Amino acid sequence: MAGNAALDRKAKKKKQGIAGQTIHDTGKDTIMSQYRITATITSQTQATDSGAWQMGITWRKSLTLDPAETQEAADLRDQAWEQAANGIDDETTRRIWQQVDTVTAREAERLRAQVRKLIGLLNAGRPALDENGYPMWDHLIALSNRQCWQWEIAAAHSGCLAAIMQAAGIDDWPPADSMPDITNPVITINLSTNQ
């Protein structure tokens, strides 16, 4: 019976999170979501191969939005592990883990708001407008299921992708000047979630 109580305490102390992350139990249910955005820019060339297939060029970029990967949470985790290694009382360490959970929950809500805004922007009835009042894209096809959304966009320029991410508030997306300069691309944006 005493062995089971020790195991129960250990199980309460730690819960295994997604992608091998450890979430410490502070008495409240902690739900974490990671979002992954993958964008593909495709452009057709005038070149054809020997079978008369037209060749295309593709650029792909992925970004994982992970609420546990903030510097503030990492610093607090380091502090908690240091406290535990030095034998500091459990109450102090527990309070630090509560702070980690609070920071992670705040970041998770910020990322969820960005994702909701991206979904709303791309699922609107008509194209969003850029800062000059012009539509960001010409045509859009949307597909989705419970854990994945995908949009295929016919745009006048690849800068549309940066404008979409900026309009949605995805602040971790690279700036427009780091994007390929492509005229008339097909842009595919895939958003997936892992809970």
Side-chain angles (χ1 to χ4, degrees):
M1 192 67 129
N4 286 342
L7 288 175
D8 286 344
R9 280 195 302 276
K10 274 190 173 178
K12 275 190 172 180
K13 198 99 157 151
K14 290 182 174 182
K15 288 193 282 187
Q16 190 65 29
I18 53 178
Q21 299 168 347
T22 301
I23 310 295
H24 289 266
D25 191 359
T26 57
K28 60 183 176 192
D29 190 23
T30 303
I31 298 174
M32 291 180 51
S33 295
Q34 287 180 326
Y35 299 97
R36 183 168 188 80
I37 299 172
T38 302
T40 305
I41 300 172
T42 305
S43 178
Q44 302 298 322
T45 67
Q46 298 304 316
T48 57
D49 68 2
S50 61
W53 286 79
Q54 185 177 8
M55 291 186 269
I57 302 171
T58 300
W59 292 263
R60 180 171 289 126
K61 175 83 175 158
S62 289
L63 172 67
T64 300
L65 303 175
D66 185 353
E69 294 303 318
T70 64
Q71 188 59 49
E72 184 180 4
D75 291 344
L76 285 167
R77 279 193 298 272
D78 290 345
Q79 184 182 355
W81 289 323
E82 185 178 317
Q83 296 275 356
N86 291 332
I88 308 291
D89 68 16
D90 281 343
E91 182 60 28
T92 302
T93 304
R94 189 179 69 74
R95 277 195 304 262
I96 294 171
W97 283 117
Q98 284 177 335
Q99 289 176 319
V100 170
D101 287 346
T102 300
V103 167
T104 302
R106 184 179 64 227
E107 180 66 5
E109 185 52 41
R110 185 183 75 84
L111 295 177
R112 273 192 295 274
Q114 290 178 359
V115 166
R116 282 191 299 265
K117 194 169 181 183
L118 178 64
I119 292 168
L121 179 77
L122 293 171
N123 285 345
R126 59 179 132 179
L129 303 178
D130 65 13
E131 66 273 359
N132 298 319
Y134 294 106
M136 287 189 200
W137 58 82
D138 299 324
H139 184 73
L140 180 139
I141 298 171
L143 303 167
S144 68
N145 63 30
R146 292 186 64 185
Q147 290 189 310
C148 181
W149 298 262
Q150 182 169 312
W151 300 273
E152 190 166 295
I153 301 165
H157 192 268
S158 57
C160 161
L161 179 58
I164 289 169
M165 296 302 176
Q166 183 179 12
I170 310 290
D171 50 12
D172 293 331
W173 192 260
D177 60 1
S178 68
M179 308 261 312
D181 184 10
I182 309 299
T183 303
N184 298 323
V186 173
I187 299 171
T188 303
I189 299 174
N190 182 285
L191 171 66
S192 58
T193 182
N194 182 13
Q195 291 183 334

